[in-house]
Amino acid sequence: MARAVTAPPERARVLVAMSGGVDSSVAAALLVEAGYDVVGATLHLWDYPDDGSVRGRCCAPEDQYDARRTADRLGIAHFSFDRRADFAAKVVGPFVDAYLRGETPSPCVACNRGVKTRELFDLADRLGASHVATGHYARVVREGPGRRPWLARARDLDKDQSYFLHALGPDELARAVFPLGERTKAEVRARARALGLPGADKGESQELCFVPTGRYDAFVAARADGRVRPGPILDGSGREVGRHEGLHRFTVGQRKGLGVALGAPAYVVGLDPERAAVRLGPAEALDCVGLEADEGAFGPEVPERFRALVKVRARHEGAEAEVERGPGGRVVLRFSSPVRAVSVGQYAVAYLGDRVAGGARIVKVSHAHAPEAKLGAPA
């Protein structure tokens, strides 16, 4: 039976990523209580106006201040590191580019893959820390002596964040600590209040940390550098039924805000960046039977072909599928039953029970209504 990975050695130094939010604050507090030599680190990734207009988000001014206040209350060292340029280049820029291509990106995966993981482990090495802890809701498990650790779902499935961490490799998992993995959000909140931690009663936002208004279209347009292209809105027969002001205003599966009325429920079923066209259709046109993906990140013990429960977005419950891995990180996936509204740019993450087998970025979708769109073997 899988069990939690043994905690770091007694009095080991652990670097804790501290955003100023309740989760990372409690993670730090739990490690201090357990007797570890804890060092807090805050990555400064994005700037907000220092006027109180943006609150309750990582990178917001009061959150960085709360991280330091929490560290002071716990009696631990705390450092802040400026990584704004890295975040802009590896997360924000690709986010804008993807929307302009008609994709729906997953910037939180990109941030964990390309910025936070690398930076935190590098900082741990510089600060003499053997382990890195975060406030993510996830677990690391080991099946027996000498076996490599696996990333696994959190106990609180409503808060589980293993989807965003799927690319962690064996070496990183061996050093990763998720103190909240066995706890529920309610338990974490209660612990923060009992300890009197700053931010114990902060609310949670569902929007991206760098788009505080939730208006992705306005954010992308402001950074598009003249690349926004208007184009046609097409019905299922290819007939133009309207015009739009840019693909970045639409996502696959969208029903509201289309700007046209067809007399029957219509959804965005496709985005064509070459023609800058938005294709509409009925709900069943969204049914996906398979997909192709790249940038695959899977554990070394995962076979080239296997069956798994696959999530195609963070809040997806998952669907049974056959996963076939190919060279160069390419993946072909076939669902046992159609899955609705799968978007290019998101990540397909495969689970073997509670364990994360790995994931890859979706680059092509095959729909049930388009038999001519055959999936090829991995390139």
Side-chain angles (χ1 to χ4, degrees), residues 13-360:
R13 173 166 288 186
V14 181
L15 179 77
V16 182
M18 299 182 69
S19 68
V22 63
D23 295 329
S24 61
S25 295
V26 171
L30 292 172
L31 290 168
V32 170
E33 290 178 356
Y36 298 113
D37 177 9
V38 180
V39 177
T42 298
L43 300 181
H44 183 185
L45 303 177
W46 191 253
D47 283 330
Y48 286 122
D50 195 6
D51 58 7
S53 60
V54 176
R55 300 187 62 82
R57 296 173 184 275
C58 60
C59 312
E62 89 282 358
D63 285 336
Q64 296 183 56
Y65 175 58
D66 284 347
R68 184 169 296 277
R69 288 174 59 206
T70 298
D72 288 344
R73 186 176 186 84
L74 297 175
I76 64 175
H78 175 266
F79 303 92
S80 292
F81 300 91
D82 185 354
R83 296 297 184 266
R84 288 172 292 178
D86 206 24
F87 185 75
K90 295 180 179 178
V91 179
V92 179
F95 173 87
V96 171
D97 294 343
Y99 264 109
L100 293 173
R101 293 194 302 267
E103 300 178 3
T104 304
S106 183
C108 294
V109 172
C111 184
N112 280 294
R113 270 189 163 201
V115 179
K116 289 182 178 179
T117 296
R118 188 195 68 250
E119 290 295 331
L120 290 171
F121 282 98
D122 284 350
L123 290 171
D125 291 338
R126 289 169 53 187
L127 295 172
S130 60
H131 289 73
V132 172
T134 72
H136 285 104
Y137 287 81
R139 294 180 299 127
V140 183
V141 298
R142 193 187 302 278
E143 294 184 319
R147 298 293 299 275
R148 79 170 184 87
W150 287 80
L151 178 68
R153 297 178 190 263
R155 171 187 165 198
D156 188 343
L157 293 180
D158 288 336
K159 293 297 297 180
D160 174 55
Q161 294 171 303
S162 59
Y163 176 93
F164 301 110
L165 301 170
H166 70 263
L168 289 174
D171 292 342
E172 294 157 337
L173 289 173
R175 300 176 65 187
V177 182
F178 301 121
L180 309 187
E182 299 287 351
R183 291 170 169 81
T184 67
K185 181 69 178 192
E187 292 170 347
V188 170
R189 182 79 71 182
R191 192 62 172 272
R193 290 169 178 156
L195 293 171
L197 297 181
D201 292 305
K202 280 183 181 179
E204 294 184 79
S205 172
Q206 300 301 314
E207 302 299 341
L208 294 179
C209 65
F210 59 91
V211 190
T213 64
R215 287 291 307 275
Y216 299 176
D217 56 342
F219 183 89
V220 171
R223 291 162 176 77
D225 298 325
R227 291 178 290 163
V228 172
R229 295 170 54 202
I233 300 176
L234 310 176
D235 66 11
S237 66
R239 178 173 60 96
E240 183 172 324
V241 294
R243 302 286 297 180
H244 68 81
E245 297 302 318
L247 293 183
H248 65 289
R249 296 173 177 266
F250 302 88
T251 58
V252 170
Q254 179 178 335
R255 181 179 178 183
K256 297 181 179 180
L258 303 181
V260 299
L262 301 183
Y267 300 80
V268 175
V269 299
L271 298 169
D272 183 348
E274 292 187 6
R275 299 177 57 191
V278 175
R279 294 191 295 109
L280 305 182
E284 56 268 25
L286 292 167
D287 287 345
C288 168
V289 295
L291 59 84
E292 295 181 19
D294 63 10
E295 300 178 10
F298 291 84
E301 296 179 4
V302 176
E304 292 186 359
R305 178 176 294 184
F306 61 99
R307 296 197 65 80
L309 185 77
V310 177
K311 296 176 64 171
V312 296
R313 49 189 170 273
R315 302 303 297 176
H316 182 213
E317 292 184 355
E320 293 290 337
E322 180 182 38
V323 182
E324 183 177 353
R325 301 167 55 208
R330 298 289 292 185
V331 175
V332 169
L333 186 151
R334 296 171 178 83
F335 293 109
S336 299
S337 299
V339 175
R340 186 152 290 183
V342 179
S343 298
V344 171
Q346 293 283 292
Y347 284 79
V349 177
Y351 291 81
L352 298 171
D354 281 344
R355 301 181 306 179
V356 178

